[in-house]
Amino acid sequence: MGALRDEHHNGWLMPSGSYPAAAYEEPWEGEETLPSVQTGPSKIVSLRPTGFEAARTVGEHIRAAVPVVMDLTEMDDAEAKRMVDFASGLIFGTRGGIERIARRVFLLTPADVEVTVIDRPLDESGFYNQS
């Protein structure tokens, strides 16, 4: 079996375990660390618009892949319906998601965010039932 060339160790590839201590270092033993990997959005925007002029702000955040909590409790019925219609079209066009989280409060999410909805308490033994 012939020797293989390796530019980092005096020109020759040496069998495992036979590298000089100063010439060989495990790649994971250095002081460098890998950057942390985020698994979700780094921020969420909460808006309480009073008029339809806030629609642009909602759209810009969703296009920038930032989830938006849209609280429409301060809007009159006609404007709130218009905002929900706009948000529905925006979410459809960006392949995102929309969840109603309370009366007149919606969570708008970009396509890369998954929302899990839990309709019942996690503990069915009554722990959360404090009545």
Side-chain angles (χ1 to χ4, degrees):
M1 180 164 114
L4 301 173
R5 298 272 306 160
D6 180 10
E7 297 298 323
H8 299 290
H9 302 289
N10 297 326
W12 299 100
L13 184 62
M14 303 168 81
S16 177
S18 63
Y19 290 104
Y24 182 75
E25 182 179 320
E26 293 290 337
W28 53 84
E29 291 180 357
E31 291 188 25
E32 295 181 35
T33 59
L34 295 175
S36 64
V37 177
Q38 292 182 335
T39 59
S42 58
K43 73 178 189 175
I44 296 175
V45 172
S46 177
L47 297 172
R48 185 176 286 168
T50 57
F52 189 74
E53 64 278 353
R56 181 181 178 119
T57 303
V58 171
E60 288 172 352
H61 285 296
I62 292 297
R63 284 179 32 194
V66 176
V68 175
V69 175
M70 187 174 69
D71 181 348
L72 304 178
T73 56
E74 300 294 319
M75 296 179 76
D76 64 50
D77 290 343
E79 289 283 300
K81 183 179 180 342
R82 188 174 174 203
M83 186 68 94
V84 170
D85 288 345
F86 167 79
S88 297
L90 172 69
I91 291 304
F92 178 78
T94 59
R95 300 185 188 274
I98 184 169
E99 290 290 331
R100 182 176 167 185
I101 56 176
R103 186 177 181 274
R104 298 181 82 158
V105 180
F106 299 88
L107 173 61
L108 311 175
T109 55
D112 63 342
V113 174
E114 181 180 333
V115 176
T116 302
V117 178
I118 301 174
D119 290 334
R120 56 192 152 114
L122 295 176
D123 184 2
E124 294 181 5
S125 67
F127 178 78
Y128 294 105
N129 185 0
Q130 300 295 317
S131 57

